Structures are given as C-alpha cells and as structure tokens.
C-alpha cells in the first residue's frame, strides 16, 4: 500500500514565508498552512494559505508533517542576524521534525550538488557542480555559487551575491546582496559580508566587512 505523503507546514509568517509559499506549491508539495509567532496573524490567510495558530499551541506530529523554516534574517553591523532562524530549526529538529530542501523551479542546480536538510534555493539562483551546502542555509534570489564552493550550515547568501570557485563560508555567516567572494577565499563563522563588498582575502570569525572601501571590524 502506498504511503501517505506528509504535508508541509511553514513556520514563520513574514516576507520570507511568502516567497516560500510559491516554491512549496511549485514543488507539488501539499501545504497544510502556516504556524507563526506573530499573534497579529491569527485567523488570517497569507497568499491564500491559512494561519493555523501560534507556535507551541498547534499540535504538530512529525510523522504527519514536514516543516519549512519561514524565518529569514536581516544582518547588521552587530552580527549576521541568523540566530532566531537557527534556533527554530534546531528546536524542531530535536523534536524529530524533518525539513525538506525547497528549490525553486526557476533555479539552476547542477546534479552534482550536495545539500543538507532544510536548504532553500530561490528563483534565479545558479549553483554549479561540486558545491556543498550545509543544512538550513538560504541561497537567495539570483545568487551565483560557482563550482566546488563549500557553505557551512545556517548561512544566508543574499540576492545577487556571487561566490567564485573553491570559496569556503563558515557557519552562520551572512553574505550580503551583490557581494562578490573571489575564488579560494575563506570566510569565517558568524561573519557579515556587507552588501556590495568585494572580498579578495580570507575573513576571520565574527568579522564585518563593509564595501567601498572594505573595513574589517571585530564584533
């Protein structure tokens, strides 16, 4: 007897969630609804998808549903801003929930790309062979990841960022919109690469790189 397909529940409710709704639907996955931490969304629908209730108050069974992390991030000069997204993912994984990779049909992902649980690849992204993407990472709209790049877990590659071949990005790091990481450069853990920055040298953990001219600061 065929097994029943698990439904999808998105945890979130903001702009990142709205982008994911279309991606989940395009993948042909059955979307049950949204669970949120925002009480103002109770009783509403988001892009015709119902809000089921508040986190901790909706009975979710990991044998019946898979989850999609609808929490995005906004990096600042004080840090990458990925802690809430990472904490949500780790909390639900500890409860036994699976997070399937969600890939836009408008993305180009080579067959020889390895990606972990919960990876999200948005429309227009291009990911070349040999790339490894750690769990719970976001490859955002029109980002370009060249061959043999390694992304550690919980990263965010923002829209139109470019990572050249053999670059390595540490855990929990934010690469800003339009930033360019030159080939073979290593970016540390929990770093912030500002929007539009061009990085030609290795970046230490917890550093902030600002564009034009780039300035390194320690958090």
């Amino acid at each position: 007897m065929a097994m029943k397909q698990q439904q999808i529940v998105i945890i979130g409710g903001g702009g990142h969630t709205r982008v994911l709704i279309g991606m989940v639907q395009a993948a042909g996955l059955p979307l049950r609804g949204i669970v949120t931490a925002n009480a103002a969304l109770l009783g509403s629908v988001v892009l015709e998808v119902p809000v089921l209730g508040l986190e901790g108050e909706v009975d979710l069974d990991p044998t019946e549903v898979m989850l999609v992390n609808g929490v995005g991030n906004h990096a600042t000069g004080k840090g990458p801003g990925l802690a809430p997204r990472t904490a949500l993912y780790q909390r639900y994984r500890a409860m036994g929930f699976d997070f399937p990779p969600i890939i836009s049909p408008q993305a180009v992902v080579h067959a020889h790309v390895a990606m972990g649980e919960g990876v999200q690849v948005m429309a227009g992204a291009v990911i070349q062979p040999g790339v490894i993407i750690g769990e719970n990472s976001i490859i955002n709209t029109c980002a370009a990841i060249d061959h043999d790049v390694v992304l550690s877990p919980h990263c965010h590659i923002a829209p139109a960022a470019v990572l050249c071949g053999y670059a390595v990005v540490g855990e929990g790091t934010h690469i800003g919109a339009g930033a360019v990481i030159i080939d073979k450069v290593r970016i540390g853990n929990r770093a912030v690469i500002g929007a539009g920055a061009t990085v030609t040298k290795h970046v230490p953990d917890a550093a902030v790189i600002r564009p034009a001219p780039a300035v390194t600061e320690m958090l």
Side-chain angles (χ1 to χ4, degrees), residues 9-13 34-39 42 51-60 67 69 71 84 87-89 91-92 95:
V9 171
I10 301 177
I11 310 293
I34 298 164
V35 171
T36 185
N38 184 359
L42 289 176
V51 175
L52 304 175
L54 292 174
E55 279 192 73
E57 297 181 4
V58 178
D59 186 19
L60 299 176
L67 302 182
N69 192 343
V71 176
L88 182 147
Y89 173 83
R91 181 168 69 253
Y92 281 98
M95 291 189 286

Side-chain angles (χ1 to χ4, degrees), residues 51-175:
V51 175
L52 304 175
L54 292 174
E55 279 192 73
E57 297 181 4
V58 178
D59 186 19
L60 299 176
D61 185 338
T63 66
E64 296 181 356
V65 301
M66 295 186 293
L67 302 182
V68 170
N69 192 343
V71 176
N73 94 292
H74 178 69
T76 69
K78 296 182 179 180
L82 286 158
R85 174 180 171 83
T86 300
L88 182 147
Y89 173 83
Q90 292 175 335
R91 181 168 69 253
Y92 281 98
R93 285 291 288 144
M95 291 189 286
F97 287 93
D98 292 324
F99 286 74
I102 303 295
I103 302 172
S104 168
Q106 284 79 46
V108 178
V109 180
H110 195 277
H112 293 279
V113 169
M115 60 180 66
E117 183 105 353
V119 169
Q120 299 167 358
V121 182
M122 274 54 182
V126 178
I127 307 177
Q128 299 289 14
V131 171
I132 298 173
I133 307 174
E135 62 182 333
N136 193 43
S137 290
I138 303 169
I139 313 300
N140 222 319
T141 309
C142 294
I145 315 295
D146 207 1
H147 63 88
D148 302 297
V149 167
V150 176
L151 302 178
S152 300
H154 314 299
C155 289
H156 179 204
I157 311 303
V162 176
L163 277 68
C164 297
Y166 298 105
V168 177
V169 178
E171 184 169 334
T173 283
H174 172 90
I175 308 294

Side-chain angles (χ1 to χ4, degrees), residues 11-28:
I11 310 293
H16 192 64
T17 292
R18 296 201 303 275
V19 175
L20 288 166
I21 286 171
M23 292 169 57
V24 170
Q25 293 171 335

